[in-house]
Amino acid sequence: MLANTKDILIDAQKGKYGVAAFNVYSLETVQAAIKVAEQENQPVIIALGERYFPTVDVEGFSAMVRAMAEKASVPISLHLDHAYEKQSIIRAIRCGFSSVMFDGSAYDIEKNMRLTKEIVEIAHMAGVSVEAEIGSLAKGAFSDEEEGDGTLTDPETAKKFVEETGVDFLAAAIGTVHGMYKGEPKIDMDLLKRIRQVVDIPLVLHGGSGTPEEKIRQAIELGIGKINVNTEVSMAAVSHLQKYFKNKEIAHLSSVMEDMQLSIEPVMTKFVKLFSGK
Ligand code: 13P
């Protein structure tokens, strides 16, 4: 069923499990995410990044995802990931996204707070929930996210930020990276614990790819409800396609796409199972 991201995350918080937010870029990636969610009987968040707006028919995409979600046997929501522009957020709200992320993490905290508050006011009028970020993630390997400076979230700033902005979910930077880790992951669980002590809204972990399973389990235990996954899914598809084309010189696009979807489903399943605690 088509669900609201906030409801999905409040349920996750109560049940102490995590929900995957899969970045998608095509029909096949959406189909895979919904199929895996149904197979595992878990909710899933379909996330489209603002960076794809120039090439994606956002209104058409939203209509398609929402129609597919309505038929699903589990809660599925549609989320706008990493949006920097107010216009993109308004566009997403207008065409039915249930939650949006305003990423003001590159600004100083006062400006991030002011702009986030403005977005929260607009989004809440439309019944849409808002994710924000303070601190930022560094960029690892194979990611197509923007470069970040890798600044950890300060708990007291997080508390003030949540109180002042009225934001619904907070992305906490605790040392995960966007993409695959270039060295040993340095994830600060004690920092997460301290953030959770002062912030009671659902917390979001960006940079799910490559993060050790044990760290993910601990993070969920400490209050992470939404975990974003992008790079590992993309890598599975790309490496599969490379092998595919080595073995087949001539292929029809329809079977290439079908095969690509099959190659990402096991990766999504791994994450959904892990997050659900199964
Ligand atoms: P990964 O690419 O590391 O999975 O991170 C995805 C993400 O955080 C999207 O916002």
Side-chain angles (χ1 to χ4, degrees), residues 21 23 81-82 101 131 137 142-145 177-181 205-211 226-233 271:
N23 286 90
D81 194 28
H82 288 284
M101 175 189 188
E131 174 181 333
L137 267 66
F142 307 112
S143 170
D144 73 344
E145 308 279 343
V177 303
H178 277 135
M180 303 308 281
Y181 294 83
L205 189 70
H206 282 243
S209 297
T211 302
K226 170 175 176 276
I227 302 136
N228 291 8
V229 178
N230 186 350
T231 307
E232 263 194 66
V233 174
F271 282 110

Side-chain angles (χ1 to χ4, degrees), residues 256-275:
V256 173
M257 300 312 262
E258 199 179 305
D259 234 64
M260 191 269 285
Q261 179 177 329
L262 292 178
S263 76
I264 63 177
E265 287 172 9
V267 183
M268 289 182 168
T269 302
K270 175 192 85 167
F271 282 110
V272 172
K273 271 193 170 40
L274 171 65
F275 301 165

Side-chain angles (χ1 to χ4, degrees), residues 96-172:
F97 282 59
S98 105
S99 53
V100 294
M101 175 189 188
F102 171 65
D103 183 351
S105 61
Y107 298 120
D108 64 55
I109 190 65
E110 290 305 323
K111 186 166 180 191
N112 188 1
M113 199 134 65
R114 180 167 53 76
L115 294 176
T116 303
K117 195 172 174 180
E118 217 176 288
I119 297 294
V120 168
E121 276 163 17
I122 295 169
H124 282 184
M125 275 195 284
V128 168
S129 35
V130 180
E131 174 181 333
E133 174 167 326
I134 48 170
S136 67
L137 267 66
K139 185 170 164 176
F142 307 112
S143 170
D144 73 344
E145 308 279 343
E146 297 199 2
E147 296 286 343
D149 55 2
T151 312
L152 299 181
T153 301
D154 169 60
E156 280 313 308
T157 313
K159 178 175 189 284
K160 184 170 178 226
F161 187 91
V162 169
E163 284 167 0
E164 299 259 325
T165 59
V167 78
D168 302 283
F169 334 121
L170 185 71

